[in-house]
Amino acid sequence: MGKRIYNFNAGPAALPLPVLEEIQGELLDFKGSGMSILEVSHRSKWFEDVINEAVERTKRLLGLGDGFEVVFVQGGASMQFAMIPMNLALNGKPVDYINTGTWATKAIKEAKVQGKDVRVIASSEDQGFSCIPEGVRVDGNAAYVHFTSNNTIKGTQWAEFPESGSVPLISDMSSDIMSRPFDPSPFGLIYAGAQKNIGPSGTALVIIRKDMLERVPAGLPAMLKYSTYTEEGSMYNTPACFSIYTINLVLKWLEEKIGGLEKMDRINKEKGSVIYDFIDKSGFYKGTAARDSRSLMNVTFRLPNEDLEKVFVAEATKAGFGGLKGHRSVGGCRASIYNAVGVDAVKALVEFMSEFQKKNG
Ligand SMILES: *Cc1c(COP(=O)(O)O)cnc(C)c1O
């Protein structure tokens, strides 16, 4: 095997090594089937067990009661931007959005394109999306309120979710799902493209409160209707089998090796303090997100100038630290430290950053 690097990619991103090893170990003969999981029918008992297990693990990890359905939908998180207003808007009511960056902006655009009555009730655009808006007021008349729990590009994250009263919250949790526990009860729908924190690309995990399904208009195409997925157990057509299989293994790792979301949260907080404390004390690196809005998943920072940033990324890559270049739309540097990135990797990165500063500071 070649040497594995410290992987700080934003997405697709690092997966836990024990999961990759498990995939490798059972790749040629999945559970005595004499076939790879890549080759078995999605209607077989083998795959049925896998998808059922993934759903059950999601429910256990997030503490979802019987009031929620868990489905897998292809098309990534971006497909959800379109499906949410299509399925869950209500006649005569506005749909409310909170704009905290690129992904929220795209979600808003997809609702507008469908002619929905979109209201942006809060935004941090004036601050260059460097923070989470404060004191968000939700009007009880809205059909739902949509927000992005973690802003992958700008490195901001909601520490506490907005209060919405009886209006269902909808959240894009693509880049921080399963990173911390939270109360699911105010949520009408939660979605996450798998490739940041829970698996490979190719599927979105969608959690929908059962009462929301009553809103789904009858006239929608089957593949764009949430009820198709809940009624058919995500198998109206062939699902992203390999992605779902890997998600199940990641969730198993979370449950059995890590010990659940409270433990995961503690580890993520430790990783966050290791790197942010170092950045703050360095006098060389500078965090780009407001302190009270900082993300524990995507750490965005700058160096004194862009030339140094280029050298930093190049030298880091050479030294075995991958994925540190900031998103092409914002520049700078970004270390994505999702669940699968260990404390050891963050400590090694900080050591590298410290050495780099000594040579270039
Ligand atoms: C990556 C990302 C998306 C887009 O995901 P796709 O699966 O590529 O559509 C949407 N929202 C957030 C918060 C993301 O991080």
Side-chain angles (χ1 to χ4, degrees):
M1 189 180 84
K3 188 177 168 351
R4 286 180 56 77
I5 64 161
Y6 289 116
N7 184 351
F8 297 97
N9 278 336
L15 287 167
L17 185 58
V19 167
L20 296 174
E21 287 169 341
E22 199 169 347
I23 294 170
Q24 189 177 44
E26 63 187 13
L27 188 67
L28 298 187
D29 179 10
F30 182 70
K31 306 227 184 288
S33 66
M35 295 175 278
S36 161
I37 188 70
L38 292 157
E39 303 167 292
V40 303
S41 163
H42 60 296
R43 308 279 176 202
S44 67
K45 174 90 167 63
W46 292 295
F47 186 72
E48 212 170 84
D49 286 349
V50 165
I51 194 167
N52 290 340
E53 222 176 282
V55 168
E56 288 312 310
R57 288 188 195 283
T58 301
K59 287 186 174 170
R60 274 201 301 273
L61 279 160
L62 293 175
L64 305 173
D66 291 336
F68 291 91
E69 299 265 11
V70 175
V71 296
F72 297 95
V73 183
Q74 297 181 49
S78 300
M79 179 76 101
Q80 295 309 304
F81 297 162
M83 280 178 73
I84 287 160
M86 199 179 282
N87 282 266
L88 305 179
L90 293 170
N91 274 338
K93 288 190 173 215
V95 291
D96 286 358
Y97 283 76
I98 301 171
N99 194 359
T100 52
T102 306
W103 299 116
T105 303
K106 287 193 170 172
I108 291 164
K109 190 171 160 217
E110 291 297 293
K112 282 191 175 157
V113 98
Q114 295 175 46
K116 304 297 179 195
D117 177 13
V118 177
R119 297 189 304 194
V120 178
I121 59 165
S123 170
S124 52
E125 193 168 7
D126 287 351
Q127 289 87 8
F129 295 124
S130 62
C131 59
I132 298 294
E134 271 172 42
V136 177
R137 283 265 176 79
V138 172
D139 164 5
N141 190 39
Y144 61 75
V145 185
H146 178 284
F147 72 101
T148 315
S149 61
N150 182 75
N151 299 282
T152 324
I153 294 174
K154 286 288 186 169
T156 64
Q157 185 176 27
W158 291 78
E160 272 168 50
F161 297 145
E163 291 274 341
S164 65
S166 60
V167 176
L169 286 175
I170 293 186
S171 189
D172 176 358
M173 296 198 185
S174 294
S175 48
D176 70 350
I177 187 117
M178 303 288 177
S179 71
R180 54 180 174 177
F182 62 91
D183 172 15
S185 61
F187 288 89
L189 186 140
I190 294 162
Y191 64 104
Q195 70 275 21
K196 311 290 165 59
N197 220 4
I198 53 170
S201 61
T203 199
L205 173 70
V206 178
I207 297 157
I208 184 162
R209 213 170 64 202
K210 284 177 181 161
D211 62 286
M212 300 297 281
L213 292 165
E214 290 160 22
R215 301 184 180 194
V216 177
L220 295 181
M223 285 296 287
L224 296 175
K225 257 171 139 166
Y226 286 123
S227 45
T228 303
Y229 293 83
T230 56
E231 283 161 18
E232 306 283 339
S234 307
M235 297 227 257
Y236 171 77
N237 76 328
T238 321
C241 296
F242 191 75
S243 285
I244 295 167
Y245 157 75
T246 307
I247 290 169
N248 183 45
L249 294 182
V250 171
L251 300 181
K252 182 171 132 191
W253 169 83
L254 264 172
E255 283 197 294
E256 295 175 7
K257 289 250 167 57
I258 298 295
L261 297 193
E262 267 164 39
K263 295 237 173 82
M264 193 70 252
D265 185 37
R266 241 178 284 153
I267 296 168
N268 285 330
K269 283 184 175 136
E270 185 188 345
K271 281 148 51 182
S273 58
V274 166
I275 189 159
Y276 284 119
D277 288 353
F278 167 76
I279 287 174
D280 290 343
K281 287 190 190 126
S282 72
F284 180 74
Y285 301 97
K286 212 166 173 295
T288 64
R291 274 174 197 245
D292 61 355
S293 303
R294 280 173 165 175
S295 167
L296 291 181
M297 297 281 104
N298 310 97
V299 179
T300 49
F301 57 95
R302 310 276 337 201
L303 275 69
N305 63 64
E306 283 184 24
D307 288 339
L308 262 182
E309 284 169 349
K310 277 194 197 124
V311 178
F312 173 78
V313 171
E315 287 197 7
T317 307
K318 241 192 273 166
F321 300 90
L324 292 170
K325 194 165 184 277
H327 190 269
R328 58 197 146 79
S329 64
V330 294
C333 300
R334 170 176 57 175
S336 295
I337 53 173
Y338 299 122
N339 287 353
V341 177
V343 179
D344 60 319
V346 176
K347 285 185 175 161
L349 174 62
V350 162
E351 202 152 301
F352 172 83
M353 289 169 75
S354 171
E355 286 302 312
F356 185 88
Q357 179 177 357
K358 275 184 206 141
K359 277 188 279 170
N360 298 278

